[in-house]
Amino acid sequence: MPSFKIDTSSALVFVATAPEPKVKNFATGERAINAEGKPMSVVGLLVSDEGEGNLLKVNVPENGFPEGLMPGMPVQVVGLKARDWENVIKGEKRSGISFSAVAITPAGA
């Protein structure tokens, strides 16, 4: 499915939840990796722009953010993209939007 770039240049972005490992298979605990073979993490971000705030769970390569990201820290997001997804598990159809970024850096860095 296609992905779409998201422009955050005019937005205020804050860490909402600290990075956690992204799990591919909860039964086995297998960690998700990207196409380059890098382990992935999930960071919760609060993105506020034009009077509207959204909480996004963003997938980021483990080497794409500095240690010590904490809730409340202002950050910049590099290469934020949205991709819609759909799957069927045990006859139940599910769909949504996933978010990914190349990197998350401290604001002003």
Side-chain angles (χ1 to χ4, degrees):
M1 297 209 170
S3 62
F4 303 92
K5 294 179 185 176
I6 299 174
D7 179 12
T8 58
S9 61
S10 64
L12 294 173
V13 183
F14 297 92
V15 175
T17 60
E20 294 183 353
K22 179 171 175 64
V23 178
K24 178 179 179 179
N25 183 327
F26 288 98
T28 65
E30 180 184 1
R31 181 104 182 252
I33 58 170
N34 66 9
E36 292 81 35
K38 305 284 186 196
M40 298 296 289
S41 293
V42 179
V43 180
L45 298 178
L46 175 61
V47 181
S48 178
D49 197 15
E50 296 183 2
E52 184 177 317
N54 292 289
L55 181 60
L56 308 179
K57 287 188 174 185
V58 180
N59 300 312
V60 184
E62 193 172 68
N63 64 345
F65 56 88
E67 283 192 43
L69 280 185
M70 303 278 295
M73 289 179 66
V75 293
Q76 294 176 322
V77 185
V78 178
L80 182 61
K81 290 186 177 184
R83 177 185 307 261
D84 58 338
W85 60 270
E86 180 177 285
N87 63 26
V88 178
I89 299 175
K90 297 181 182 179
E92 184 179 333
K93 185 176 178 180
R94 294 182 170 193
S95 62
I97 300 172
S98 65
F99 298 93
S100 64
V102 173
I104 297 173
T105 61

